[in-house]
Amino acid sequence: MTTWDGFQAFATTPVAAPPPPGAPPRSLAERLAYHSRFVTVRTPAIDTLAKNVRTLMILGRHQTVTARPSLIVTGPAGAGKTTALLQVGRACHLAHTRRHGAAAAAGRVPVAYVLVPPAASAKTLATEFARYLGIPVAAGMSQAQITGAVCHTYTSAGVQLVMIDEIHRLNPRTTTGAQSADLLKDLTERIGATFIYAGIDVTTTPLFTGVRGAQLAGRASLIDCAAFPARLGDSEPFRDLVKAMEAALDLRHHRPGTLPKLAPYLHERTAGRIGSLARLIRQAAITALVDGTERITKTTLEAIRLDHLAEQHYRPRTRPRSRDTSAP
């Protein structure tokens, strides 16, 4: 995913989808593969991010004097930040291809996706940008030389959207972190693209502190990709999410409505995190296919070990033992 070839393959591969009504039954192998990939439910976070990115790309299209406005996607681990980021990147790539045609779009790179490496220095971060487009980096090259090659190549390739994930790894209070933050500021001013950052609870990290943090906060809007609440006014966002995932299952004996009825349990089990929920339902579906039951029940769900974060949160209720009053 962090190379152009990998991202292009992701963006152009047809998304997983449940069988349409009346379609012939799929084989066990096909259904195992389907539940392994599974669908990506269109969440409010994805819709909000897509709308804001589209607006900011138009807003900054003719802005050449200063850096274009940017976005930061924040939220707890497992809340779907990376999924939202990648879905918006996919949509941008496909829109570019539709607008210009496959032939005209060949050789152009509308979207870049870069991960901030752990304890990133400015040079290692610049190298990650270079690696995405396959820009050669010789051992003796300086950071300035790598950055210059990156800016030139990204501009020549027509990059319109730059997505930077794991931004919480940057700490501008350290020397290397400060240099990396300065590099990002430099790139936003030299590459004519809209920048989106994503990270875990970035408002609680040092990212927004000091002069460099103030510069970033002054240019970036914040989108909170929080866990799904069980209730929000008169609506039940988490139950709606569960219902959408259940509708995408390809199990022959599963009873529709089973999982929405278990929404309170599922919310308690996953703390409302879409990543944990998707993993739980996918694993339960695969288990049901392998053991031949072809349906998901609470017993199926209870037998699955989730990610450590979810397991730490979940505390199953146990009924207190009734006292035996019949003994003398």
Side-chain angles (χ1 to χ4, degrees), residues 23-97:
R26 297 193 281 196
S27 69
L28 176 61
E30 288 173 326
R31 290 186 296 142
L32 284 170
Y34 164 69
H35 288 101
S36 176
R37 292 177 60 201
F38 209 46
V39 297
T40 297
V41 177
R42 188 83 182 185
T43 64
I46 294 177
D47 289 337
T48 300
L49 182 58
K51 180 179 178 181
N52 278 271
V53 168
R54 184 165 56 248
T55 302
L56 289 187
M57 290 180 72
I58 296 171
L59 179 65
R61 186 170 293 164
H62 302 291
Q63 186 169 331
T64 57
V65 178
T66 58
R68 300 181 181 194
S70 56
L71 280 172
I72 295 179
V73 183
T74 184
K81 299 178 297 300
T82 296
T83 298
L85 205 65
L86 292 175
Q87 291 307 310
V88 170
R90 182 208 293 269
C92 180
H93 174 89
L94 295 178
H96 177 83
T97 303

Side-chain angles (χ1 to χ4, degrees), residues 29 152 255 257 271:
H152 172 76
R255 291 184 179 181

Side-chain angles (χ1 to χ4, degrees), residues 104-320:
R108 308 292 286 177
V109 181
V111 179
Y113 177 69
V114 176
L115 287 180
V116 176
S121 67
K123 187 173 182 178
T124 58
L125 183 55
T127 301
E128 285 299 303
F129 275 87
R131 189 171 69 86
Y132 182 81
L133 283 187
I135 302 170
V137 176
M141 290 179 69
S142 66
Q143 176 208 319
Q145 289 173 319
I146 300 171
T147 303
V150 164
C151 293
H152 172 76
T153 308
Y154 274 56
T155 300
S156 300
V159 175
Q160 301 171 2
L161 181 65
V162 177
M163 306 184 300
I164 304 174
D165 210 348
E166 307 289 345
I167 194 68
H168 57 271
R169 290 175 173 173
L170 286 185
N171 182 0
R173 292 178 181 173
T174 66
T175 301
T176 55
Q179 292 170 349
S180 298
D182 287 342
L183 170 68
L184 289 180
K185 180 177 180 294
D186 191 22
L187 293 177
T188 61
E189 292 173 347
R190 296 174 62 183
I191 299 173
T194 298
F195 279 65
I196 310 177
Y197 310 92
I200 298 173
D201 296 331
V202 296
T203 54
T204 64
T205 70
L207 196 61
F208 283 161
T209 60
V211 175
R212 293 175 177 84
Q215 288 178 326
L216 179 60
R219 291 177 174 177
S221 305
L222 199 68
I223 293 179
D224 193 354
C225 194
F228 274 68
R231 301 193 69 88
L232 187 63
D234 294 331
S235 64
E236 298 181 71
F238 188 78
R239 187 185 297 271
D240 293 339
L241 177 64
V242 171
K243 186 177 180 180
M245 287 189 178
E246 184 186 67
L249 292 173
D250 190 5
L251 299 175
R252 291 171 185 168
H253 304 309
H254 182 78
R255 291 184 179 181
T258 299
L259 296 186
K261 289 179 182 177
L262 293 173
Y265 157 75
L266 290 170
H267 192 272
E268 185 179 5
R269 182 83 191 273
T270 63
R273 287 187 288 267
I274 188 172
S276 298
L277 176 67
R279 174 175 170 175
L280 180 60
I281 291 178
R282 287 165 58 212
Q283 283 190 233
I286 290 172
T287 299
L289 287 169
V290 171
D291 67 19
T293 59
E294 296 269 353
R295 63 178 179 272
I296 298 176
T297 64
K298 187 174 182 180
T299 302
T300 314
L301 297 166
E302 282 283 287
I304 292 171
R305 295 290 295 176
L306 265 180
D307 56 275
H308 184 59
L309 194 62
E311 293 294 347
Q312 278 188 313
H313 167 82
Y314 179 56
R315 294 291 182 268
R317 296 185 178 92
T318 56
R319 294 181 180 178

